[in-house]
Amino acid sequence: MEGLAARIATLQRRIAVACERAGRNPEGVELLPVSKRQPVALLREAMDLGFTRFGENYVQEGTRKAQALPGAAFVLIGPLQRNKARPALENFREIMTLDRPELGGRILSLAEELALVRPLWIQVDLWQEATKVGGCSPEGILPVLQSLSADPRTPLVGFMAIPPPDRPEAFAQLGALRREWEQRLGRPLKLSMGMSGDLEEAIRWGSDQVRVGTAFFGERPGPLGA
Ligand SMILES: *Cc1c(COP(=O)(O)O)cnc(C)c1O
């Protein structure tokens, strides 16, 4: 079986090659390891290799891991329900799945109450066909932004998306969306797109962050065996 260090080296080569083809500096592409369903011991191994930020999909699982690994920072990449917003803010450093104004308002008031700064990403779904993954439509972006009231406690980092695999044009569309909002807001915004199977294409179209689970940690254990 291939070890973690070797798998990560292979992944980093993939990222480097994709950057070279795109004429981009690899330092401009963050590798966010996605640790959902992976055991704490494996995250510890990744920390020994210098990784300290991890993406998690579920508030409960991320909270458990954050408490077990005080040296790590967790980022929420899964859908967030309003009634889980408090534990999410307490245990995650960033929320990447803001997709509706009610949630934005709730996060802002909690950040004030708890005196926390929590950078946020708006999750967008330009295709509105994969209803389960979440994300707001292009028209939904402005109301979400307004719900944050440009408060410094909840700074907007950029956009996150999980495009359907059968949409090769998706990454280019997301690049265009980012440029449009950079112009409207008059400042740079980041784009988080690309996973194990499609990170080359995402980097080609300007992704600033690839979220990688399987190609980093290996296959995920089943939900019950985790
Ligand atoms: C699971 C997950 C990933 C990583 O997926 P892999 O295909 O294992 O790389 C990335 N982003 C989100 C939102 C995920 O849920």
Side-chain angles (χ1 to χ4, degrees):
M1 229 188 81
E2 200 188 8
L4 184 64
R7 208 181 298 108
I8 295 173
T10 303
L11 171 62
Q12 285 173 327
R13 262 194 311 275
R14 271 179 72 189
I15 294 174
V17 168
C19 285
E20 197 183 319
R21 289 207 178 121
R24 299 185 56 194
N25 181 347
E27 283 175 15
V29 180
E30 184 199 358
L31 166 57
L32 179 71
V34 172
S35 51
K36 62 176 173 239
R37 305 217 303 261
Q38 299 291 359
V40 165
L42 195 58
L43 275 74
R44 233 180 237 123
E45 250 188 83
M47 290 174 75
D48 289 341
L49 296 169
F51 292 87
T52 54
R53 263 164 67 84
F54 300 99
E56 280 283 342
N57 288 63
Y58 301 101
V59 174
Q60 206 179 350
E61 183 180 350
T63 298
R64 181 170 59 76
K65 288 174 177 169
Q67 285 163 2
L69 301 167
F74 288 86
V75 173
L76 185 67
I77 61 168
L80 177 58
Q81 276 141 28
R82 206 174 176 280
N83 62 359
K84 298 244 176 79
R86 181 183 292 270
L89 256 72
E90 286 169 338
N91 295 287
F92 291 80
R93 304 284 179 86
E94 284 179 23
I95 310 286
M96 298 195 65
T97 48
L98 173 60
D99 62 359
R100 51 200 196 279
E102 310 80 72
L103 187 57
R106 176 72 181 142
I107 290 174
L108 176 54
S109 72
L110 277 168
E112 280 167 0
E113 181 194 324
L114 302 169
L116 296 170
V117 173
R118 289 293 179 257
L120 304 176
W121 300 64
I122 296 180
Q123 184 181 353
V124 293
D125 177 6
L126 307 184
W127 314 278
Q128 301 284 317
E129 44 187 40
T131 47
K132 277 242 166 111
V133 300
C136 64
S137 68
E139 300 73 46
I141 294 173
L142 186 60
V144 172
L145 273 171
Q146 287 165 338
S147 74
L148 302 178
S149 319
D151 192 291
R153 290 185 201 277
T154 52
L156 177 69
V157 183
F159 298 115
M160 181 276 235
I162 313 169
D166 54 347
R167 290 250 177 199
E169 74 283 18
F171 294 121
Q173 291 174 338
L174 287 162
L177 178 91
R178 181 247 295 269
R179 278 192 300 280
E180 176 196 330
W181 279 94
E182 281 184 336
Q183 276 170 9
R184 287 177 75 160
L185 300 178
R187 68 173 182 89
L189 293 169
K190 290 194 175 177
L191 199 46
S192 172
M193 57 182 191
M195 316 198 290
S196 293
D198 56 13
L199 62 92
E200 282 86 359
E201 201 54 16
I203 288 172
R204 179 177 163 209
W205 292 101
S207 178
D208 301 292
Q209 181 194 69
V210 290
R211 308 176 311 270
V212 185
T214 337
F216 186 101
F217 286 109
E219 289 300 323
R220 280 184 279 280
L224 296 174

